[in-house]
Each structure stands twice: as structure tokens, then as C-alpha cells.
Amino acid sequence: EGDLERTPFLHLIAQILLRGLSGTLAIWPEDESVRGQDRVRFEAGKPVAARLLGSAPPVLERALLPLFPRTRGAFAFYEGVDLAPDAAVRGSAEPLALLAASLRVGARRDAVEAVLEQYAGMTLRFTGSADVKRYALLPKEERLVDVMRAGPATPEELAAHSELGLELGQRLVYLFLVTKALEPYQPVARASAE
């Protein structure tokens, strides 16, 4: 549990995915006078249903996008509990594709900057276990992944190589850091012969 001010919605989705959790994420409204919560049900880390306070598109991925820019609102995750049995929106959203889509329409600049600052100047490498297809990237975004796979580089170098411009390049680097597809690189020291 926590608040969206400190833990952005994108980070919540990434953590639920990485841990493979099943249950319901409840998010209280920014306006405390509004009763109820937005509720998103997950199975094995993937969103499968949502009951949202406002009107929502019938496609789960699109219905969840307005939650990403929120900067306030308490949340709690109830593991193993379905608190949205009457969910109006159902489906099976690929979490990584959802996260990538959310960054195309906007991003919490504070969250992007905070994560990039943690890794500033650090040499990173793309992990071999990352399944890039799950992100449903656009061709120009895929070309930045090619740069990431070419060899270790700093977040600044990676973002600067983006054909999408610096801001979108930073968002992609941020996405891959939050989802653990990029990790710090430590070159293996070779033993010297005596």
C-alpha cells in the first residue's frame, strides 16, 4: 500500500508483473470527497479486469491509460482477493505493452527523472532474458533496443541515440530500467598471467 505521489502507477504495474501477483489493486480518487476506488484485478501479474469510477472504454488497455499520469491517490494491493467481481471492463492486457503505450501518450516527468538520476553515468546492459516482443514496440523504438543490445552504455548515451528524440528516448530507457530489462554492467576482470 502507499500513494501514487511516491509510487507511480507505472511502477505498480511493473512490480505486480515482476512478482507475478494475483489479486486486486485498489486506487482511491485524488479528490477525497469522491467515494469508492478504481479497482484492477490481476492474474499472474497481468491485468484481466477493471472496475473504474468514471466511464471507461471497453478495451482494458485503453481503460487503464488514464491512471498512469495520476500524481495523487492512496492505493493498496489485496493479494489473492477479487474485489472487482462486477468489473465492467474485462480482457487480458499484456503489461509490458501497456507500459510502453502509456509512455507514448505521456509520462510523469518526476518519475522518469528520479529513475534516470539513480542510474546517471552508470554503464548499463540489456539483459538477455528480456522478451522485447512483449513490449509491442514501434519500429523506431525497436531500433533503440538494437542500440541497447549493441553494447553497454550509460542512460544518457542510450537516450541520445533515440530516433524519437531525447525525451522519448529517456522514457524508453526509464521503461527498460523499471521493468529490469536494463541492468548495471560490471565487466569481468581478466586474471593476469604471472
Side-chain angles (χ1 to χ4, degrees), residues 6-192:
R6 294 190 57 172
T7 307
F9 187 68
L10 185 142
H11 293 223
L12 290 175
I13 299 292
Q15 286 304 309
I16 291 168
L17 169 66
L18 292 171
R19 295 177 184 173
L21 299 177
S22 295
T24 304
L25 176 63
I27 305 165
W28 280 261
E30 293 176 281
D31 180 353
E32 294 176 8
S33 68
V34 176
R35 294 179 54 121
Q37 310 92 29
D38 291 309
R39 296 178 181 186
V40 183
R41 189 163 49 86
F42 293 82
E43 288 181 11
K46 292 185 176 187
V48 294
R51 191 192 82 201
L52 305 173
L53 291 174
S55 61
V59 178
L60 186 59
E61 294 90 341
R62 292 187 60 218
L64 296 177
L65 287 177
L67 295 172
F68 284 90
R70 289 200 35 202
T71 57
R72 288 189 16 225
F75 67 82
F77 187 81
Y78 299 90
E79 192 168 0
V81 179
D82 181 1
L83 295 176
D86 57 345
V89 183
R90 296 183 180 277
S92 183
E94 168 52 60
L96 295 176
L98 175 63
L99 299 180
S102 78
L103 293 177
R104 289 185 199 111
V105 295
R108 283 187 46 184
R109 190 74 205 147
D110 62 322
V112 174
E113 288 174 357
V115 169
L116 293 180
E117 195 173 284
Q118 288 178 1
Y119 293 92
M122 191 180 296
T123 304
L124 305 171
R125 70 178 180 138
F126 204 75
T127 64
S129 61
D131 184 357
V132 177
K133 290 180 181 162
R134 291 181 57 200
Y135 291 89
L137 298 174
L138 301 175
K140 286 184 178 183
E141 294 167 340
E142 288 178 350
R143 287 195 279 281
L144 181 57
V145 172
D146 292 339
V147 171
M148 292 176 181
R149 285 182 165 158
T154 66
E156 299 82 5
E157 293 167 336
L158 293 171
H161 280 93
S162 172
E163 295 176 38
L164 303 164
L166 182 61
E167 185 175 353
L168 289 174
Q170 289 173 330
R171 289 180 191 177
L172 277 176
V173 172
Y174 159 74
L175 171 64
F176 291 127
L177 285 167
V178 170
T179 59
K180 309 295 185 207
L182 278 173
E183 64 184 12
Y185 172 71
Q186 297 294 327
V188 177
R190 295 180 185 227
S192 59

